[in-house]
Amino acid sequence: MSLISIENVHKHYGDYHALRDINLEVGQGEFFSLLGPSGCGKTTLLRTIAGFEDVSSGQVRIGGASMIGVPANQRPTNMVFQSYAIFPHMSVAENVGFGLRKSSLSGAEKATAVGEALEMVGLNGFGARAAHALSGGQRQRVALARALILKPKVLLLDEPLSALDKKMREQMQSELRRLQRQVGITFILVTHDQEEALIMSDRIAVMFDGKIAQLDPPPQLYTRPANRQVAEFIGVMTFLPGNRRADTLEVAGLGHVTLSPDQIIGAEGDVRVGLRPESMTILFDDMAAEPSNRVAQGTVEDLAYYGDMTMYEVRLAGAPRPVTVSMRNLPGRPVLARGDAARVVWDPAALMAFGPVD
Amino acid sequence: MLRAYVIVFLLFLYAPILLLPVFAFNSGTVIAFPLDGFTLHWFAELAVTKALHEAVVNSLIIAAVTAVISTALGVAAARAGVRYRFPGKAAALGLIMVPLVLPEIIVAVSLLVVVVQIMGWDLSMGTIIAAHVLICTPFATAILNASFQNLDPSLEEAAVDLGESRSSTFRLITLPLIMPGIIAALLISFTISLDEFIIAFFLSGSEPTLPVYIWSMLRFPRLIPVVMALGTILVVLSVLLLTLAEISRRRGLRRAGVKDKGGFL
Ligand SMILES: Nc1ncnc2c1ncn2[C@@H]1O[C@H](COP(=O)(O)OP(=O)(O)OP(=O)(O)O)[C@@H](O)[C@H]1O
Ligand SMILES: [Mg+2]
């Protein structure tokens, strides 16, 4: 049985319909993410699980028990807030031990629990530190320790890494993942960073406009997006105009393609043909094309050099706009320049045709 | 040019106040230059004037009660204003602020009419306190508004999330974090009430406040140096209280970790 189940949940703020018929289940020990652009309702959904917002209709269950009408302080959830919400007038140890105030543990037992929690997040010996004398990453860890000390069934995290710089964020991503496996608690993470969601999650719910557009593990989300909006949001995808009749697709710049059923999303007619950058290759002299692949002629319009790889914007002959092609920079392989001719090898089985209305 | 302007301005503003201590320590009975000599006589006279002591006690009681009530109302109003949405909110908060711009004499006369003519009550310290609460609450609310605006709402939510009730959250989180604002509001309300004359003049029955008592002393030229001595003490006290209020406000900002956006004072 799933640990959390959300059934037909709606949330209205006055006239504004913030959550529209949300249905999802999260399993015990799962790392689950809510992903979507700003304003799509991720925080609202998280707060209905935490008990800070009432649902307008629908059901929220944790461990089988209905949470409707149960206040936040009686739910088996704890939250890491986006601002961390570290109590500024307390020491680190007082912050971490705050949730134990009502527990029946003795003073010594509480101190031990606080010490263990601090050790778990790598803040050994920080207990006496004043809360305001912490760096962003340290505040993040204190917030984590404070929320985990009560051993909740579910830990809710609202964009916990968005305030950190890139290096720190990457470090915390792997640390959060490690911590989650270690404690075995279900994590629900809110993020608008698709890369972060892909790296960390067992499953991801992609939300747009208060609705769940797709709920899948990261690989399915990336390779089998439910619609064009999801495909655009997850990873990089460039689109070329095309026309589809049954399984026959005509793509500007690429020509005729026969599609397999799982490449077809939405209705036939004028379609948008989605291509991932890694599904195409620029043919250098040292390479031979796979027999199943096809080759198109193009010109490099622009490029971005990342060190380990280069992202090329290549305009194929007959295409109205360039496609993005990623190439690894192997030793001895040249980096093309703007205006260079490029032969692009592409795999007909890797493209996706999104119908006019999907 | 601008500098000269500022100096002249400050001179006009503060020179009369600077004259207070000058004449308070002057041994001559007439308020005029040249000065006679140094004396503490006027202060000594203050110490033995019984009516004055009663007026001081009245004023302190009124100011203390006013400060507590205004600040409590200010906490409630500011919290409601910053945290909640409800119909008629703008109107309600606007009405709280009206006394800031209402002439005090209007407040005084209308309260006098209500209390004496309509209700038929006797004037008492209670009526003065009621009127002082009216004029002090806007100040308390303004100060506490800033306190609540600087208080991250997720701090209170975090405490609830960790198992605390609403009331224990208020006690453990909200109150300590807005305490500097509360102290500032108490001190400012206290100072305003202590100095207030017009309302107290109209509404005090047989129990004059200090400003009313001072006014009555002015009818006797002999006592004017005594008034000067009293005025000196009051100025020093007021400045002290306002300084404490400002220090407290700044400490609050620092604690909340926000930049000072210009004080109330
Ligand atoms: N208390 C509220 N009253 C009215 N509207 C609200 C309230 N809270 C949220 N909303 C609206 O609901 C929508 C969803 O808000 P929510 O905070 O869940 O977005 P989000 O997906 O978390 O976005 P972000 O990434 O910017 O945090 C927004 O359009 C927001 O304006
Ligand atoms: Mg949000």
Side-chain angles (χ1 to χ4, degrees):
Chain A
M1 199 190 68
S2 56
L3 179 64
I4 296 179
S5 86
I6 292 174
E7 298 151 22
N8 310 109
V9 161
H10 288 264
K11 174 73 187 176
H12 297 268
Y13 290 113
D15 290 340
Y16 187 75
H17 201 165
L19 295 179
R20 301 159 186 248
D21 199 26
I22 301 289
N23 286 282
L24 59 85
E25 310 231 317
V26 182
Q28 166 60 42
E30 193 172 7
F31 200 124
F32 190 91
S33 291
L34 296 169
L35 172 66
S38 185
C40 71
K42 315 178 286 289
T43 297
T44 306
L45 181 53
L46 198 74
R47 290 169 60 85
T48 62
I49 300 172
F52 294 123
E53 303 280 355
D54 298 325
V55 298
S56 302
S57 66
Q59 182 60 265
V60 176
R61 289 180 205 280
I62 302 179
S66 170
M67 290 291 123
I68 306 299
V70 177
N73 53 7
Q74 283 159 33
R75 294 196 183 190
T77 60
N78 282 115
M79 183 130 162
V80 173
F81 291 82
Q82 184 164 10
S83 60
Y84 307 148
I86 304 297
F87 305 132
H89 56 306
M90 297 181 188
S91 70
V92 167
E94 284 168 329
N95 264 282
V96 173
F98 191 83
L100 298 177
R101 271 176 36 85
K102 297 246 164 96
S103 85
S104 54
L105 297 180
S106 72
E109 287 168 326
K110 286 180 188 176
T112 311
V114 168
E116 283 169 4
L118 283 174
E119 176 162 8
M120 184 172 63
V121 297
L123 282 182
N124 267 337
F126 277 73
R129 204 56 101 78
H132 59 78
L134 294 174
S135 72
Q138 290 166 340
R139 300 167 76 81
Q140 156 85 75
R141 288 158 200 264
V142 173
L144 266 171
R146 187 177 70 180
L148 284 172
I149 202 166
L150 287 172
K151 304 198 166 57
K153 286 188 179 152
V154 189
L155 185 73
L156 307 168
L157 306 108
D158 190 359
E159 310 225 9
L161 308 178
S162 62
L164 303 177
D165 63 47
K166 190 165 183 294
K167 267 258 154 55
M168 195 69 213
R169 192 159 61 230
E170 283 167 3
Q171 188 188 334
M172 282 309 292
Q173 281 168 358
S174 58
E175 231 173 283
L176 263 183
R177 198 63 246 242
R178 175 190 61 75
L179 196 63
Q180 194 264 339
R181 283 199 210 99
Q182 181 189 328
V183 296
I185 289 173
T186 304
F187 278 32
I188 301 184
L189 172 85
V190 159
T191 180
H192 62 258
D193 181 342
Q194 48 96 15
E195 202 177 329
E196 182 169 297
L198 290 176
I199 292 172
M200 299 174 74
S201 322
D202 296 319
R203 285 190 308 147
I204 301 172
V206 183
M207 293 179 68
F208 294 107
D209 296 327
K211 284 194 289 264
I212 293 183
Q214 186 171 2
L215 199 168
D216 267 319
Q220 272 85 320
L221 220 49
Y222 189 81
T223 54
R224 298 263 74 88
N227 59 37
R228 190 172 56 77
Q229 216 177 7
V230 174
E232 258 180 320
F233 197 75
I234 308 286
V236 178
M237 184 172 269
T238 42
F239 294 94
L240 290 174
N243 193 283
R244 180 172 76 80
R245 289 273 168 263
D247 64 351
T248 313
L249 178 68
E250 176 71 35
V251 192
L254 296 179
H256 254 53
V257 179
T258 303
L259 298 170
S260 69
D262 60 1
Q263 289 177 272
I264 296 169
I265 296 139
E268 62 178 14
D270 286 334
V271 296
R272 306 234 287 159
V273 179
L275 298 147
R276 295 282 190 199
E278 70 280 4
S279 72
M280 292 174 287
T281 315
I282 292 174
L283 205 56
F284 290 95
D285 294 339
D286 59 335
M287 297 154 65
E290 292 271 335
S292 68
N293 289 354
R294 288 161 53 177
V295 181
Q297 288 295 337
T299 318
V300 174
E301 277 202 351
D302 207 349
L303 68 151
Y305 178 76
Y306 287 89
D308 60 334
M309 54 163 248
T310 307
M311 296 285 253
Y312 292 100
E313 298 290 319
V314 181
R315 171 84 71 131
L316 301 174
R321 68 178 78 90
V323 292
T324 307
V325 182
S326 65
M327 287 300 294
R328 296 192 50 208
N329 294 329
L330 298 180
R333 179 179 286 178
V335 175
L336 299 181
R338 276 186 203 89
D340 285 357
R343 288 163 62 213
V344 175
V345 180
W346 55 282
D347 179 1
L351 50 74
M352 278 171 266
F354 296 96
V357 276
D358 54 28
Chain B
M1 182 58 204
L2 189 67
R3 174 175 299 190
Y5 206 77
V6 170
I7 290 172
V8 169
F9 178 77
L10 288 178
L11 220 59
F12 264 112
L13 206 61
Y14 290 111
I17 295 176
L18 289 179
L19 285 181
L20 277 179
V22 170
F23 288 106
F25 293 106
N26 178 27
S27 56
T29 45
V30 190
I31 304 298
F33 290 102
L35 302 174
D36 279 350
F38 180 83
T39 181
L40 290 175
H41 172 72
W42 310 122
F43 287 91
E45 196 153 318
L46 282 179
V48 296
T49 316
K50 196 157 161 294
L52 167 70
H53 297 171
E54 280 167 10
V56 167
V57 170
N58 288 343
S59 270
L60 288 179
I61 291 173
I62 290 172
V65 176
T66 299
V68 170
I69 297 177
S70 308
T71 303
L73 291 176
V75 169
R79 190 182 154 82
V82 175
R83 284 293 139 77
Y84 301 109
R85 301 183 188 195
F86 50 91
K89 172 173 153 179
L93 294 183
L95 273 179
I96 292 175
M97 292 298 169
V98 164
L100 276 181
V101 291
L102 212 58
E104 279 179 27
I105 187 133
I106 304 286
V107 177
V109 170
S110 48
L111 257 166
L112 187 67
V113 170
V114 169
V115 170
V116 177
Q117 299 293 117
I118 300 179
M119 307 304 290
W121 291 338
D122 285 337
L123 291 173
S124 68
M125 290 198 333
T127 43
I128 301 180
I129 289 172
H132 279 186
V133 167
L134 191 68
I135 58 164
C136 290
T137 303
F139 290 92
T141 306
I143 293 169
L144 287 155
N145 258 335
S147 300
F148 276 105
Q149 259 150 15
N150 288 331
L151 186 68
D152 179 359
S154 54
L155 289 172
E156 289 171 347
E157 285 180 349
V160 172
D161 188 59
L162 293 166
E164 296 298 332
S165 64
R166 272 163 167 263
S167 59
S168 61
T169 296
F170 187 79
R171 186 166 47 82
L172 294 167
I173 306 297
T174 317
L175 208 54
L177 291 176
I178 61 164
M179 191 47 82
I182 288 182
I183 292 171
L186 280 173
L187 291 173
I188 289 198
S189 307
F190 187 88
T191 311
I192 292 172
S193 168
L194 200 64
D195 292 350
E196 199 284 328
F197 173 71
I198 300 175
I199 290 174
F201 178 70
F202 275 78
L203 297 182
S204 60
S206 54
E207 299 161 316
T209 65
L210 186 57
V212 175
Y213 177 76
I214 293 174
W215 181 83
S216 69
M217 283 167 84
L218 289 176
R219 278 174 295 178
F220 310 103
R222 190 184 55 78
L223 289 179
I224 287 182
V226 182
V227 173
M228 292 292 192
L230 189 54
T232 305
I233 294 174
L234 285 180
V235 167
V236 171
L237 266 183
S238 296
V239 169
L240 212 66
L241 286 182
L242 289 181
T243 310
L244 281 180
E246 176 67 9
I247 289 173
S248 181
R249 192 189 66 85
R250 291 205 183 150
R251 171 135 41 102
L253 285 182
R254 249 207 324 282
R255 203 190 284 192
V258 292
K259 275 241 299 286
D260 197 342
K261 293 191 276 293
F264 181 73
L265 300 173

